[in-house]
Amino acid sequence: MHKRIKMPGKIHRDYDNSSANTFLCARFYVLNIGNFPYFCLMKKILVTYNMFRKGFAELESRYEVVFPTGNRDFTYEEVMDRVQDFDALCPMFDFPVDRALIDRATGLRLIANYAVGYNNIDVAYALEKGLTVANTPGPTTAPTANIALALLLDTARRVTECDRKLRAYGTEMKIGVLENLGTRVTGATLGIIGMGRIGKALCKRACACGMDVIYHNRRQLDLNEETKIGAMYVTMDELLEQSDFVSVNAPYTADTHHIISREELKKMKRTAILINTSRGPLVDEKALVEALQTGEIHGAGLDVFEFGDHPSPELLEMDNVVLTPHIGTQTVYSRVEMAKAVSNNVIGFFEGDRPVSRVLHP
């Protein structure tokens, strides 16, 4: 027998009361066991950012989901004011989830980050307080590897530099067989620092371009995987000394802060190009500016910056530097898929019906 239950709110569902099932109705779960419906309060989910709702469709069909209104994100203060009423918090990668907020969130069980990185969260404290922290590595892998390769090719072949000059000088731009010479890519050596998902995806793309790939990682991959992806493990010093391109793809932690500093830059080839699509503070930006100014290295392609959303002013004046404003995952498809990944983490955590991408340690 089918019945329709209607309650205040937008959500109601048809259900069959002849079998055990669970469905949603306004702010309640209706758990139907035999002929007896049981009403349970719906989980409350706080999303700190505005995003395409398409990616959150399933989440909204199951729980009470609160988004900021208008074309803006919630402020830290707004989240602090209301977070204690929620079961799960879904922050953006640049939203700080610190000890004060975690202490305030007395009913919180899950922090589902909209990012592969999680340096915006005090993970150690969250885990200590019994919370689960989740991230979204799957949908971010390909687009981030793509932007890393794009920066590498652009910087090597001076694409945006030549574009700017053509627009600025028109027919006055010098064009000739010895003008606007770039750096070779095919046959060059790429050194990848951090051979996780994104590092491996970049390795695949670099090999397709005919590059030789070496890498350094906390742990060496097994020989079968190295052979499969076509990369050779080396020490950090060997990577810096041998690479024509160095790509930073490690996660940002206390241990990887300034993993590229003045000392590392001095070990690189004077013809080398540095690529960073991970997190800005992995690179000592002041030391990088000096290395570029003095010709210690040849160029840089940066999607992230040490001191926030904008690069050091000196970098803006350099033709041998290509800059993008943290657009590694900035495609409509990627944004929707990341929202789906956040939703899957939340649903999987509360329902146990799908995997959850858990962050197990800081």
Side-chain angles (χ1 to χ4, degrees), residues 141-142 145 190 192-207 213 215 217 219-222 225-226 228-231 247 249:
T141 300
L190 169 63
I192 297 176
I193 301 174
M195 192 58 90
R197 290 174 183 245
I198 295 170
K200 291 173 186 175
L202 176 58
C203 177
K204 179 180 178 180
R205 287 153 175 76
C207 289
V213 180
Y215 76 98
N217 202 47
R219 290 180 294 274
Q220 182 176 356
L221 305 178
D222 66 56
E225 189 165 15
E226 285 186 343
K228 180 180 177 181
I229 66 175
S247 179
N249 299 103

Side-chain angles (χ1 to χ4, degrees), residues 23-31 37-43:
F23 63 99
L24 298 180
C25 195
R27 287 185 57 193
F28 296 85
Y29 279 114
V30 181
L31 179 62
Y38 292 85
F39 296 85
C40 305
L41 279 175
M42 185 182 291
K43 295 287 188 290

Side-chain angles (χ1 to χ4, degrees), residues 49-61 67 114 332-344 347:
Y49 48 89
N50 236 314
M51 185 50 60
F52 301 114
R53 293 294 192 271
K54 180 180 178 181
F56 291 102
E58 185 180 6
L59 193 71
E60 290 187 279
S61 75
F67 296 90
Y114 185 94
V332 173
Y333 178 82
S334 297
R335 285 290 177 247
V336 171
E337 289 302 302
M338 288 175 70
K340 288 180 180 178
V342 170
S343 297
N344 283 330
I347 297 168

Side-chain angles (χ1 to χ4, degrees), residues 285 302 304-316 323-324:
E285 197 163 297
L302 308 173
V304 288
F305 316 109
E306 181 174 4
F307 305 110
D309 294 331
H310 301 282
S312 299
E314 297 90 339
L315 294 172
L316 297 171
L323 305 167
T324 51

Side-chain angles (χ1 to χ4, degrees), residues 46-267:
L46 180 60
V47 181
T48 69
Y49 48 89
N50 236 314
M51 185 50 60
F52 301 114
R53 293 294 192 271
K54 180 180 178 181
F56 291 102
E58 185 180 6
L59 193 71
E60 290 187 279
S61 75
R62 289 172 175 261
Y63 310 124
E64 180 183 356
V65 185
V66 176
F67 296 90
T69 57
N71 188 25
R72 70 182 192 90
D73 297 339
F74 279 130
T75 65
Y76 178 85
E77 291 72 23
E78 287 172 326
V79 172
M80 280 288 282
D81 285 343
R82 61 179 69 193
V83 71
Q84 69 269 21
D85 297 326
F86 288 83
D87 302 283
L89 174 67
C90 303
M92 182 60 78
F93 54 78
D94 58 354
F95 186 91
V97 182
D98 56 16
R99 289 188 173 221
L101 193 147
I102 291 170
D103 284 339
R104 175 79 168 170
T106 52
L108 202 65
R109 296 175 59 194
L110 171 69
I111 302 169
N113 211 31
Y114 185 94
V116 61
Y118 39 85
N119 55 292
N120 58 308
I121 301 169
D122 189 334
V123 175
Y125 190 64
L127 297 178
E128 178 185 321
K129 299 289 283 188
L131 301 180
T132 294
V133 179
N135 65 344
T136 60
T140 63
T141 300
T144 307
N146 289 343
I147 200 69
L149 181 63
L151 288 169
L152 185 156
L153 294 171
D154 192 329
T155 312
R157 297 306 306 275
R158 304 171 66 176
V159 177
T160 51
E161 178 190 349
C162 287
D163 178 83
R164 287 194 302 269
K165 288 179 178 178
L166 273 172
R167 294 174 189 275
Y169 302 117
T171 57
E172 301 299 317
M173 179 180 172
K174 293 184 67 176
I175 298 176
V177 294
L178 295 180
E179 299 294 333
N180 308 306
L181 295 175
T183 300
R184 73 165 180 160
V185 173
T186 300
T189 297
L190 169 63
I192 297 176
I193 301 174
M195 192 58 90
R197 290 174 183 245
I198 295 170
K200 291 173 186 175
L202 176 58
C203 177
K204 179 180 178 180
R205 287 153 175 76
C207 289
C209 291
M211 303 183 77
D212 297 320
V213 180
I214 57 179
Y215 76 98
H216 184 73
N217 202 47
R218 284 184 300 176
R219 290 180 294 274
Q220 182 176 356
L221 305 178
D222 66 56
L223 183 59
N224 288 337
E225 189 165 15
E226 285 186 343
T227 302
K228 180 180 177 181
I229 66 175
M232 182 176 70
Y233 180 83
V234 294
T235 67
M236 185 67 163
D237 283 350
E238 288 171 334
L239 183 145
L240 296 170
E241 293 164 1
Q242 297 174 21
S243 298
D244 300 300
F245 300 87
V246 173
S247 179
V248 182
N249 299 103
Y252 179 61
T253 67
D255 292 334
T256 59
H257 181 77
H258 284 186
I259 195 170
I260 299 294
S261 64
R262 184 171 285 103
E263 182 180 346
E264 285 72 31
L265 290 163
K266 288 182 180 296
K267 294 176 182 177

